[in-house]
Amino acid sequence: MDHGKHQAPQEYAPGEGVPATLIRIPVRIVVVVLVLPVRMGWDALTALGHAADRVLLRPLGRSLAWLLGALVLTPLAWLYTWVLTPLGRAASWLALALLVRPWTGLWRYVAVPVARYGIAAPAVWLYRAVLTPLGHGLRWLGTALLAPAARGLGTGLAWALTTLLVLPSAALWRYVIVPVVRYGVTVPVVWLYASVLAPPGRGAGRALGRLVTTLLVTPASWVHRRILIPVGREIAAAFEVAWRVAGYVSRAIGRLLARIARHLIGAPASWVYRTVCTPVGHVVRDAVWAPARRAAAEAGRAAREALAAARETARRARRDAWRALTGSTDGARSREPVGVPARTLGSTTTVPSAAQASETSPTGGRFAERG
């Protein structure tokens, strides 16, 4: 009872009027019936959108991003790095060599000297030797002769205009036109408006304003205050309550449907995943994927080692061929020694381009001991 007493003034506030009290419950019932399908459809669309985003859109986006990177971005990066960049550098060098440098040389060694010594130097000499003295002479002539004559002529013309035109016009305006307009037109018009036209106009305006206020403004204000505002407030409150009630109903129906879907679809799918898919996946991973990955890694390692060995063999063959042709390489260490035998018993120096001497010489050793 206390709770009802405290809540009653909020639901039925005094001054709302009879229309608000009469339409409250029917309007709320109608609004609930109208809003409930809309709210349920909105909640269903929201749940479907979240589910589609988690199940379909995110994996699809990651797959599309991977495909875009593998099929478009990586080839474009390779094309830019290994094709377009060298072509651009070659084109820039060619453009610099064929377009920029010839024009730069033409500007620096032809146009600039011609403009400097063929145009600028004669123009400077003409300005200093001819135009400057001529200008000084003309300035002295204008300052000494023409300026005093012009000032005297201007002073005479100004005095004539002021005496003959300005002073008579000002006197005519001040002493004739202004008094005639003020006392012959303005004063009678003002008196006619203030004494004859203004009082009837004020009375008619007040009567018309009172009539409009009595017949239009007061009834419209009463309708707005007593009918439109309470009805609009009740309709807005009804929509708010209906939306809240429809949300409760929609959430309850959604929980029921989710529980049914969990028991009919989610539980069997989870059981199949745990009891069938997971063991099969483990078997495929351990029996097929892991050996294949190890075999691929071993094959890649063997291929890399073979390529490294082939590169080293080719490098050594190229070095030996260069030594055989030129007798030396760029480094001082690979240069063939002069006056040293290819191989002796007391030395370990070996030159690939020289024939090796015999390591054992019975006759040579005997002759050396006898000597």
Side-chain angles (χ1 to χ4, degrees), residues 13-179:
E16 290 184 349
V18 178
T21 306
L22 292 177
I23 68 171
R24 178 176 288 114
I25 301 302
V27 166
R28 290 192 178 185
I29 293 173
V30 173
V31 170
V32 167
V33 173
L34 295 176
V35 170
L36 181 60
V38 178
R39 180 58 186 265
M40 293 183 63
W42 175 260
D43 292 340
L45 290 177
T46 304
L48 183 61
H50 288 303
D53 181 64
R54 289 195 300 269
V55 176
L56 181 62
L57 295 180
R58 292 181 185 177
L60 182 61
R62 288 193 291 267
S63 302
L64 291 177
W66 182 83
L67 288 176
L68 181 63
L71 299 179
V72 178
L73 297 181
T74 302
L76 287 179
W78 181 87
L79 180 65
Y80 176 78
T81 304
W82 300 104
V83 177
L84 296 180
T85 301
L87 288 178
R89 292 176 180 173
S92 64
W93 181 84
L94 187 63
L96 183 65
L98 297 180
L99 298 177
V100 178
R101 290 180 179 175
W103 288 105
T104 304
L106 181 64
W107 171 262
R108 182 178 297 174
Y109 300 108
V110 177
V112 172
V114 169
R116 177 179 296 175
Y117 299 105
I119 299 175
V124 170
W125 177 83
L126 180 64
Y127 174 78
R128 290 179 179 176
V130 178
L131 297 179
T132 300
L134 183 61
H136 289 325
L138 292 176
R139 185 181 64 181
W140 177 83
L141 181 63
T143 303
L145 299 178
L146 297 179
R151 283 197 294 270
L153 182 61
T155 303
L157 291 176
W159 179 83
L161 290 175
T162 303
T163 305
L164 299 177
L165 293 178
V166 176
L167 293 178
S169 299
L172 179 65
W173 172 263
R174 180 178 297 175
Y175 299 108
V176 177
I177 297 175
V178 171

Side-chain angles (χ1 to χ4, degrees), residues 132-262:
T132 300
L134 183 61
H136 289 325
L138 292 176
R139 185 181 64 181
W140 177 83
L141 181 63
T143 303
L145 299 178
L146 297 179
R151 283 197 294 270
L153 182 61
T155 303
L157 291 176
W159 179 83
L161 290 175
T162 303
T163 305
L164 299 177
L165 293 178
V166 176
L167 293 178
S169 299
L172 179 65
W173 172 263
R174 180 178 297 175
Y175 299 108
V176 177
I177 297 175
V178 171
V180 169
V181 171
R182 179 179 297 174
Y183 298 104
V185 178
T186 306
V187 173
V189 170
V190 171
W191 177 84
L192 179 63
Y193 174 78
S195 301
V196 179
L197 299 178
R202 294 194 193 97
R206 292 193 189 96
L208 183 60
R210 184 168 299 177
L211 182 62
V212 171
T213 302
T214 304
L215 297 179
L216 295 177
V217 176
T218 302
S221 176
W222 183 86
V223 170
H224 179 267
R225 186 174 61 255
R226 296 296 182 179
I227 296 176
L228 296 180
I229 291 178
V231 171
R233 188 185 299 117
E234 289 301 326
I235 292 175
F239 269 101
E240 183 180 359
V241 173
W243 186 261
R244 196 160 52 245
V245 172
Y248 294 151
V249 176
S250 176
R251 280 194 290 272
I253 295 174
R255 293 192 190 98
L256 178 61
L257 294 177
R259 184 169 298 178
I260 293 173
R262 187 182 301 113

Side-chain angles (χ1 to χ4, degrees), residues 27 87 92 146-147 154 176 179 194 232 249 271 273-274 298 313 323 347 368:
V27 166
L87 288 178
S92 64
L146 297 179
V176 177
V249 176
W271 179 83
Y273 177 78
R274 287 196 308 270
E298 293 295 335
T313 302
R323 289 177 180 176
S347 175

